[in-house]
């Protein structure tokens, strides 16, 4: 069951050549409940990995057990005239799932099309794009307690969702392993088109009243045009979160940089795109042999091959420092840094 000295190259979207001491693939919930009671599971440092699209291995060796969640299945739990509750197992591919729901005419996750990863990882960092977040359509998720194998259902309100965050990333980090997610999807709903890129894209295509499928396809094309394909260039999507700053500080910044983009937040705060800050600090398209900053979107750090996680860590620290010095704004990684605990 446990595979020793396992290469994680295909299990981290940065494509780093990392080896784990032990690896196990889980394809059924019952298997996971048994696994957590195993002495090998309990005595090792553990890393739960689904698609590996939001992780950065800081070392070449992970001194522990990697648990790859790969259970499959999509089923309709209930349905009425307006909506449908759909359960997806954690190991389902996120993009395939979104496409499947769009194909069935179900609304609620279409703007989250083409985000690489698996269903089980989506709630952990509350994935979001084009004015939508997974929390908006999530009814509940089912998880296994890593301490004893017990199953627990987390209702939406219990997940502690925030911007690219949830209880599974904070208070309960490493405690619960998500095995399935239930979505409440609508049979009719207004499309969310207000996000700038979508409007522009549809205008250039001459589409006035897009269908659900046309919106889905638009999001896919917009993402393709701006974000590197992980199959060609290693990356983990947005590397940093967009910082939220005080309005007073924002107004001060705007006097020096009148074109600074922003989004209003509650409590007199303003969200500023980290990609803009990084570009203005001169990093866009920067490259140092193995690693760099993507030329079309400065928020994405890339691995061209032959590099190590340490090089990305070093680059990210330099970027943080230069944004801090230039704008007095702290940017924090969105990507999970994986380090050996001992
Ligand atoms: N911008 C620049 N230079 C850049 C990149 C961006 O000036 O190099 C400016 C853009 O012109 C725009 C603003 O920054 O005015 C925002 O850029 P964009 O629309 O590309 O979105 P983002 O804030 O960089 C966020 C999410 C993405 C998501 C997009 C679309 C975060 C950390 N990232 O990026 O999510 O796809 O919005 O909704 O919130 C991810 O989390 O991995 C991810 C890709």
């Amino acid at each position: 069951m446990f595979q020793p000295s396992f290469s994680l190259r295909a299990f981290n979207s940065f494509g780093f050549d990392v080896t784990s001491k032990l690896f196990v693939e889980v394809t059924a919930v019952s298997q996971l409940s048994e696994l957590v009671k195993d002495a090998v599971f309990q005595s090792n440092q553990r890393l739960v990995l689904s698609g590996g699209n939001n992780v950065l291995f800081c070392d070449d060796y992970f001194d522990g057990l990697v648990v790859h969640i790969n259970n499959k299945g999509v089923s309709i739990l209930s349905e009425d005239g307006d909506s449908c509750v759909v359960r997806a197992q954690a190991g389902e591919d996120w993009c395939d799932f979104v496409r499947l729901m769009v194909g069935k005419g179900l609304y609620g996750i279409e703007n989250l099309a083409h985000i690489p990863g698996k269903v089980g990882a989506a709630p952990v960092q509350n994935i979001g794009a084009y004015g939508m977040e997974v929390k908006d359509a999530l009814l509940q998720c089912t998880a296994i307690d890593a301490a004893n194998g017990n199953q627990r259902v987390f209702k939406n309100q219990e997940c502690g969702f925030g911007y690219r965050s949830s209880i599974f990333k904070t208070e309960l980090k490493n405690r619960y392993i998500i095995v399935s997610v239930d979505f409440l999807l609508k049979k009719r709903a207004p499309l969310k088109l207000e996000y700038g890129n979508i409007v522009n894209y549809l205008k250039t295509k001459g589409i006035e009243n897009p269908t659900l499928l046309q919106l889905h396809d638009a999001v896919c094309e917009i993402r393709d045009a701006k974000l590197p394909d992980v199959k060609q260039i290693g990356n983990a999507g947005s590397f940093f979160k967009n910082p939220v700053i005080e309005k007073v500080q924002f107004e001060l910044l705007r006097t020096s940089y009148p074109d600074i983009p922003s989004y209003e937040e509650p409590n007199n705060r303003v969200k500023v795109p980290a990609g803009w800050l990084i570009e203005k600090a001169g990093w866009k398209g920067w490259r140092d042999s193995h690693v760099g900053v993507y030329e079309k979107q400065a928020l994405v750090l890339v691995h061209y091959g032959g590099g190590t996680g340490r090089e990305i860590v070093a680059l990210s620290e330099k970027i943080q420092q230069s944004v801090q010095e230039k704008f007095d704004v702290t940017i924090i990684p969105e990507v999970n840094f994986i380090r050996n605990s001992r």
Side-chain angles (χ1 to χ4, degrees):
M1 170 165 76
F2 298 107
Q3 302 184 59
S5 284
F6 190 88
S7 169
L8 297 176
R9 196 181 194 142
F11 291 85
N12 73 105
S13 60
F14 266 119
F16 289 125
D17 214 353
V18 178
T19 305
S20 68
K21 184 172 109 183
L22 292 163
F23 178 92
V24 62
E25 183 189 26
V26 170
T27 54
V29 179
S30 55
Q31 184 195 349
L32 182 62
S33 298
E34 285 308 306
L35 175 70
V36 303
K37 293 173 195 148
D38 195 297
V40 173
F41 181 92
Q42 290 299 342
S43 61
N44 274 283
Q45 179 189 359
R46 296 179 301 263
L47 173 67
V48 174
L49 206 58
S50 53
N53 288 278
N54 203 43
V55 294
L56 171 64
F57 285 99
C58 302
D59 307 300
D60 303 334
Y61 184 70
F62 177 70
D63 190 18
L65 170 66
V66 169
V67 181
H68 176 51
I69 305 296
N70 206 18
N71 55 330
K72 304 282 187 196
V74 175
S75 55
I76 292 180
L77 296 188
S78 64
E79 185 171 3
D80 62 21
D82 301 321
S83 58
C84 196
V85 177
V86 182
R87 172 166 296 174
Q89 301 298 314
E92 283 291 332
D93 180 80
W94 175 259
C95 304
D96 292 349
F97 174 63
V98 174
R99 181 69 185 77
L100 188 68
M101 294 303 104
V102 167
K104 287 184 185 299
L106 294 174
Y107 296 71
I109 50 175
E110 56 280 1
N111 293 30
L112 305 178
H114 217 35
I115 296 181
K118 305 255 185 171
V119 165
V124 176
Q125 61 147 349
N126 184 23
I127 57 170
Y130 306 106
M132 211 175 248
E133 288 182 322
V134 80
K135 75 165 173 54
D136 304 330
L138 185 143
L139 184 66
Q140 57 191 20
C141 41
T142 304
I144 296 292
D145 188 338
N148 51 31
N150 292 345
Q151 195 163 302
R152 179 172 160 189
V153 174
F154 290 82
K155 299 268 175 221
N156 183 309
Q157 295 303 319
E158 295 173 302
C159 294
F161 288 126
Y163 167 57
R164 290 301 189 281
S165 182
S166 76
I167 200 163
F168 307 108
K169 211 180 161 180
T170 52
E171 264 169 74
L172 297 182
K173 189 172 179 188
N174 298 331
R175 174 76 191 269
Y176 284 93
I177 302 169
I178 294 173
V179 290
S180 66
V181 184
D182 298 347
F183 297 88
L184 176 60
L185 303 173
K186 303 277 183 212
K187 293 188 173 173
R188 278 170 298 276
L191 295 177
K192 271 195 172 230
L193 305 172
E194 46 295 353
Y195 192 92
N197 285 350
I198 294 181
V199 173
N200 291 343
Y201 173 91
L202 294 171
K203 220 182 248 168
T204 54
K205 292 266 165 174
I207 301 172
E208 252 179 53
N209 290 308
T211 62
L212 180 60
L213 181 60
Q214 280 174 323
L215 173 57
H216 169 277
D217 293 350
V219 170
C220 293
E221 278 195 36
I222 293 167
R223 290 188 74 92
D224 269 343
K226 268 205 321 206
L227 300 167
D229 179 355
V230 289
K231 289 187 201 107
Q232 279 152 27
I233 306 174
N235 75 90
S238 298
F239 193 88
F240 298 99
K241 291 190 199 189
N242 288 331
V244 177
I245 61 174
E246 298 296 330
K247 205 166 198 156
V248 192
Q249 186 186 4
F250 174 72
E251 291 304 343
L252 212 64
L253 277 173
R254 195 153 61 172
T255 53
S256 314
Y257 307 95
D259 64 332
I260 185 170
S262 63
Y263 315 98
E264 290 279 330
E265 289 281 310
N267 305 322
N268 269 326
R269 291 162 76 81
V270 176
K271 191 185 271 179
V272 178
W276 185 91
L277 298 169
I278 296 168
E279 178 175 348
K280 288 285 169 204
W283 289 99
K284 197 171 188 172
W286 185 93
R287 177 173 178 172
D288 182 16
S289 77
H290 309 123
V291 299
V293 178
Y294 193 52
E295 69 212 356
K296 295 184 202 158
Q297 167 45 297
L299 194 49
V300 180
L301 303 193
V302 290
H303 171 221
Y304 293 103
T308 65
R310 280 185 302 281
E311 289 170 71
I312 289 282
V313 174
L315 172 58
S316 72
E317 286 170 354
K318 278 191 221 153
I319 292 172
Q320 275 175 309
Q321 199 183 339
S322 91
V323 167
Q324 188 78 48
E325 280 164 13
K326 191 170 172 69
F327 301 104
D328 193 23
V329 173
T330 307
I331 52 170
I332 295 168
E334 180 198 295
V335 170
N336 291 312
F337 284 43
I338 311 297
R339 293 191 163 97
N340 291 309
S341 62
R342 49 193 165 181

